Amino acid sequence: MGSSEEYPKKQQQDRLWSKLKILLLLITTNILTFYIFTGRSPSLNLKLSEYTQHLPSLWDFNSLLQELNSTQAHLASSDTRLGDLQKQLISANLLLENLLSELGRARGSSDDRTEENPEVSEKWSDEMKLVLQPHKLPLGHSPNIGSDEIYLPIGAACSRYEEELRQYMSYEVGGECPTDNVFAQQLMLRGCEPLPRRRCHPKSPAGYVEPRPLPDSLWTTPPDTSITWDAYSCKSYQCLVDRIKTKGYYDCKDCFDLNGREKNRWVVDGSGLDYGMDAVLGTKPPGTVRIGLDIGGGSGTFAVRMKERDVTIITSTMNFDGPFNSFIASRGLIPIHLSVSHRFPFFENTLDIVHSMHVLSNWIPDAVLELVLYDIYRVLRPGGLFWLDRFFCYVSQLNQSYVPMIEKVGFNKLRWNTGRKLDRGAQMNQWYISALLEKPMT
């Protein structure tokens, strides 16, 4: 029996012969008609052979068949050559892949992959090489990564601060990390975020004791021995509470006083800029606001209020001359040390609510602010809430820049209020925006 590849060719040849026979029959009929009706002899009883005996000279069937067979042979030969070329190409690709793989293994066999580049070897310490170089996956190529190696993530702007980064990565491996929290945070705020990981131990607080249990910890100032105070001008929580009585600017000046203004935040729903938490949650079916983010949440009181209502809030905050992250954690909440310029570490369409008070305002460059607003839209689920709490700006910026920017993102307005910002004097002509916005369902 013929192969499966020969069968289609035989069918094609049979169809060609059928068409050829029909064509020959048509030609023969026309020629006979022509001879009969235009011939000189008046007799119609001539034998058919007299008119058809010359046909072979008009059409050489054997020659036609030979040419057809020759064409088919050339096609078959071309198919064979094409198949051979494809096999050679596949073999060449496999050989190239094997060579590249061997080259990668050869480069990865040394712990110091920069030996071939003396300039890089002198430029970075061993710890910096460890975080900058690619690392081969023990099990080889991973389809999830699309590679057989992995890079440790550090901020792209880190490359602009070589001296600072070299200083940050100078430490004894396995020893105590330098007390450089302020320095590290300054690098983060310059865009070197995330910072590279380090193989050292942060200094532990002296006299550390177990934290208070929930729910007592929510409204209790933790003991001073819960943190290390080296990085801060204050050396106790009482000093932080007393800042409200001193002159000068401090970030979130009164938010460490849990018995002061923090005790009354978001309790009462006013007709103006102040929204009550229960009124905000009441805009959604009960129990459907469950998880969220508070951007720049200070000492974590917003998260506390939400926790009392069975809503889990992660609080992003920086440590501007105060142990904000440590204080939030001591209250039994979840802090993340993250600047406002960092992409939110949440997948799209996942959070029920995002809140920001004072942080998102006119101190942020417009292009960066617009990126933040779109990132908030990204992480909110359809129907999720964006609570913009006391966004401040100059009156000239209000309708010219920020209202169009917020509307451009595409939120639905559930509530919208504006009012004067008077804490720095009426002559400043500053205004607040408070708004409750909703991501559309579709």
Side-chain angles (χ1 to χ4, degrees):
M1 295 179 64
S3 65
S4 59
E5 296 179 357
E6 294 174 351
Y7 184 71
K9 294 181 180 179
K10 186 175 184 303
Q11 284 185 324
Q12 184 178 4
Q13 184 176 353
D14 291 342
R15 287 194 296 268
L16 181 60
W17 271 112
S18 298
K19 293 179 180 179
L20 182 59
K21 289 176 181 178
I22 295 172
L23 178 62
L24 288 174
L25 181 60
L26 181 61
I27 292 173
T28 302
T29 304
N30 290 338
I31 292 175
L32 286 173
T33 304
F34 177 79
Y35 271 96
I36 291 171
F37 290 100
T38 64
R40 294 181 180 180
S41 174
S43 176
L44 297 178
N45 296 322
L46 296 177
K47 296 181 179 179
L48 183 61
S49 60
E50 292 180 15
Y51 296 97
T52 60
Q53 62 183 349
H54 302 292
L55 285 177
S57 64
L58 298 175
W59 198 289
D60 192 341
F61 298 107
N62 291 331
S63 176
L64 179 62
L65 182 59
Q66 289 176 359
E67 290 181 5
L68 178 62
N69 290 335
S70 176
T71 302
Q72 289 178 335
H74 282 300
L75 288 174
S77 177
S78 299
D79 289 340
T80 302
R81 287 198 298 271
L82 181 60
D84 291 339
L85 288 174
Q86 288 177 335
K87 292 178 181 179
Q88 292 175 12
L89 181 61
I90 292 173
S91 298
N93 285 338
L94 291 174
L95 178 61
L96 180 60
E97 289 178 1
N98 289 333
L99 288 174
L100 291 175
S101 178
E102 290 295 330
L103 180 62
R105 281 196 289 270
R107 289 181 176 178
S109 60
S110 172
D111 289 337
D112 184 1
R113 296 172 60 119
T114 59
E115 288 181 352
E116 299 178 5
N117 191 339
E119 183 177 335
V120 174
S121 180
E122 295 176 1
K123 182 178 179 180
W124 300 114
S125 67
D126 289 341
E127 288 300 290
M128 277 307 302
K129 294 174 190 175
L130 186 67
V131 299
L132 291 177
Q133 70 185 15
H135 298 272
K136 284 290 182 180
L137 297 175
L139 301 180
H141 184 276
S142 168
N144 291 333
I145 300 176
S147 175
D148 63 345
E149 60 188 15
I150 189 172
Y151 282 83
L152 301 182
I154 65 171
C158 290
S159 60
R160 300 182 180 181
Y161 308 109
E162 295 179 5
E163 292 299 325
E164 291 89 341
L165 202 58
R166 188 178 293 113
Q167 176 184 338
Y168 178 73
M169 295 302 290
S170 298
Y171 55 88
E172 180 185 352
V173 176
E176 186 175 280
C177 296
T179 304
D180 56 0
N181 296 339
V182 175
F183 175 66
Q185 185 167 270
Q186 288 175 349
L187 274 174
M188 292 172 60
L189 292 170
R190 293 185 214 174
C192 185
E193 183 182 19
L195 285 168
R197 288 173 170 158
R198 300 196 290 189
R199 297 189 295 169
C200 56
H201 303 113
K203 184 178 180 181
S204 297
Y208 182 82
V209 295
E210 294 287 341
R212 285 178 175 267
L214 287 167
D216 292 346
S217 62
L218 295 176
W219 292 102
T220 301
T221 300
D224 292 340
T225 55
S226 62
I227 66 168
T228 301
W229 293 91
D230 296 359
Y232 314 114
S233 58
C234 277
K235 306 302 178 184
S236 68
Y237 279 116
Q238 188 59 49
C239 173
L240 294 173
V241 171
D242 292 341
R243 276 181 176 175
I244 190 64
K245 306 172 186 177
T246 61
K247 294 182 179 181
Y249 173 79
Y250 296 97
D251 193 72
C252 199
K253 191 172 184 179
D254 60 347
C255 62
F256 286 101
D257 184 6
L258 298 185
N259 293 314
R261 192 166 59 163
E262 292 292 292
K263 203 74 175 179
N264 299 313
R265 290 191 189 275
W266 307 291
V267 174
V268 178
D269 188 74
S271 58
L273 298 168
D274 296 320
Y275 296 171
M277 189 164 288
D278 291 326
V280 170
L281 294 177
T283 61
K284 290 293 173 181
T288 59
V289 178
R290 306 150 301 159
I291 55 174
L293 169 69
D294 188 18
I295 302 172
S299 60
T301 298
F302 181 85
V304 169
R305 292 285 186 210
M306 282 291 190
K307 190 174 184 65
E308 292 171 339
R309 291 157 176 81
D310 296 324
V311 180
T312 300
I313 296 293
I314 293 176
T315 305
S316 72
T317 187
M318 303 298 287
N319 290 335
F320 291 119
D321 198 20
F324 291 93
N325 279 268
S326 300
F327 190 79
I328 293 170
S330 295
R331 299 179 77 176
L333 307 167
I334 304 173
I336 51 174
H337 192 208
L338 201 69
S339 72
V340 71
S341 59
H342 194 289
R343 182 180 187 267
F344 299 131
F346 306 103
F347 195 66
E348 59 191 40
N349 299 319
T350 53
L351 301 184
D352 300 315
I353 188 169
V354 174
H355 173 263
S356 176
M357 184 175 186
H358 295 308
V359 175
L360 299 184
S361 293
N362 68 346
W363 69 273
I364 302 175
D366 284 1
V368 176
L369 179 61
E370 187 173 351
L371 288 170
V372 175
L373 293 175
Y374 272 101
D375 208 28
I376 292 171
Y377 189 98
R378 177 185 66 83
V379 299
L380 280 173
R381 64 166 175 82
L385 299 175
F386 173 33
W387 184 349
L388 184 60
D389 201 348
R390 289 182 176 261
F391 178 105
F392 60 84
C393 62
Y394 292 105
V395 67
S396 60
Q397 299 171 310
L398 186 63
N399 293 317
Q400 182 177 353
S401 299
Y402 297 120
V403 172
M405 182 188 298
I406 295 170
E407 291 178 342
K408 176 183 176 182
V409 178
F411 291 105
N412 298 325
K413 292 181 181 178
L414 302 184
R415 295 177 66 173
W416 183 278
N417 297 91
T418 58
R420 296 291 297 273
K421 183 178 186 292
L422 300 174
D423 59 321
R424 296 182 62 187
Q427 73 281 359
M428 298 297 294
N429 205 10
Q430 290 184 314
W431 283 69
Y432 279 125
I433 300 173
S434 282
L436 183 62
L437 309 172
E438 179 188 54
K439 180 174 178 176
M441 291 295 291
T442 57

